Amino acid sequence: MVDSAGAESGYRYLPGVGQYSAGVVADPAHGIVRVQFPTPVPLRAAFGAAERIIGGAGRPLTALCSWELRSPRPFTESSFTAFNDEYIALLDQWGVIGTSGANPVARSNVCPTVDPVLEPSAHAFAFTVPAQADTVQYVVSGSAESPEGLGEYRDHMVAYQDVSADGLLAKMRFVTAALKSRMDGLGVSGHPPRAVQIYTIHDVQRLLAGAVMAPLRCTDSVTWHPHRPPVVDLEYEMDCRSVGAEYLAGSGGVAG
């Protein structure tokens, strides 16, 4: 069941784990704007840029609803916990974390293998704006081939260390099912995503039509990134969205 992220936030969220919610959906009379940086921006500087852009749009910081992060390399379990603690502290400074400690902000976090970042950075973020939208707008958080909240990822990975065709297909089916479940929870399953992002270093092209596009009813706008998921031994991650507007920061659509 979705929860409100606050009276001024303009969205509801599906509870997830401490570092992110499972996804967000815009409230009635609101839409979602996604802003992508031309190149990844170090995380604290990205928060500063996002603050200027969100404020420039006349929105409160609590309108922030999603981050797409980039990390230098896959984390160990312990280093991932330490990173998440720092990230949550940044959100808390914005007043985004609720009094119950719940984190409403959706997220993906992956590690580029081509032109990798040197420190944790941000690729894009999204926030809500008042809008008479004619479509349901949402962002589903990234999911890899291990369920969240069950302890160490390695103990629950699907097809652990198996990157054969069968192993990759099992991972893809698990992740697609996770995204479908999150869409069901958000109440958006009747609205196919306009964009699906796939993060893996493995060749999965021939499997996409059956394992991803057909189940999600996504006819196009599937983007492959040669990136690794954020934790050692995870091999495949995916997120999806349907938002009202997308801009490149500094392009004139929004202030840079």
Side-chain angles (χ1 to χ4, degrees):
M1 180 176 295
V2 293
D3 292 336
S4 172
E8 296 184 341
S9 69
Y11 71 93
R12 291 155 288 150
Y13 70 98
L14 186 66
V17 289
Q19 57 264 36
Y20 56 82
S21 71
V24 300
V25 58
D27 283 340
H30 286 80
I32 296 176
V33 172
R34 178 179 180 267
V35 181
Q36 180 178 319
F37 297 110
T39 58
V41 176
L43 194 55
R44 288 187 179 274
F47 265 78
E51 181 175 7
R52 293 190 296 273
I53 291 170
I54 294 171
R59 298 292 290 149
L61 295 180
T62 52
L64 173 77
C65 63
S66 175
W67 277 110
E68 297 172 43
L69 306 184
R70 299 291 185 260
S71 294
R73 64 191 64 82
F75 293 93
T76 64
E77 299 277 354
S78 59
S79 63
F80 195 46
T81 297
F83 166 76
N84 284 324
D85 288 345
E86 294 177 5
Y87 167 75
I88 292 168
L90 288 172
L91 291 178
D92 198 25
Q93 291 173 18
W94 275 25
V96 172
I97 305 297
T99 56
S100 66
N103 181 357
V105 178
R107 192 181 89 176
S108 61
N109 184 9
V110 291
C111 310
T113 58
V114 178
D115 195 16
V117 297
L118 300 178
E119 60 182 291
S121 301
H123 170 70
F125 67 96
F127 64 100
T128 62
V129 294
Q132 294 302 320
D134 57 0
T135 59
V136 174
Q137 299 185 23
Y138 61 88
V139 178
V140 177
S141 290
S143 177
E145 73 270 23
S146 183
E148 295 283 4
L150 298 181
E152 293 200 357
Y153 290 93
R154 180 176 54 190
D155 295 336
H156 304 279
M157 289 179 187
V158 172
Y160 176 58
Q161 293 187 332
D162 182 356
V163 293
S164 68
D166 287 345
L168 289 171
L169 182 58
K171 296 172 190 290
M172 294 174 71
R173 286 174 171 166
F174 175 86
V175 173
T176 299
L179 262 63
K180 287 185 66 179
S181 176
R182 291 175 177 183
M183 290 175 66
D184 288 343
L186 288 168
V188 303
S189 56
H191 305 273
R194 291 183 172 179
V196 176
Q197 298 189 112
I198 291 166
Y199 311 97
T200 185
I201 64 169
H202 303 288
D203 183 3
V204 296
Q205 180 176 345
R206 68 182 182 85
L207 304 174
L208 293 179
V212 176
M213 297 178 71
L216 294 180
R217 297 191 295 125
C218 179
T219 58
D220 54 15
S221 298
V222 173
T223 304
W224 168 68
H225 301 265
H227 301 348
R228 291 183 178 276
V231 175
V232 171
D233 286 330
L234 290 174
E235 302 289 350
Y236 182 88
E237 181 165 334
M238 189 163 69
D239 59 35
C240 65
R241 66 180 184 272
S242 183
V243 303
E246 303 203 21
Y247 298 106
L248 192 66
S251 65
V254 293

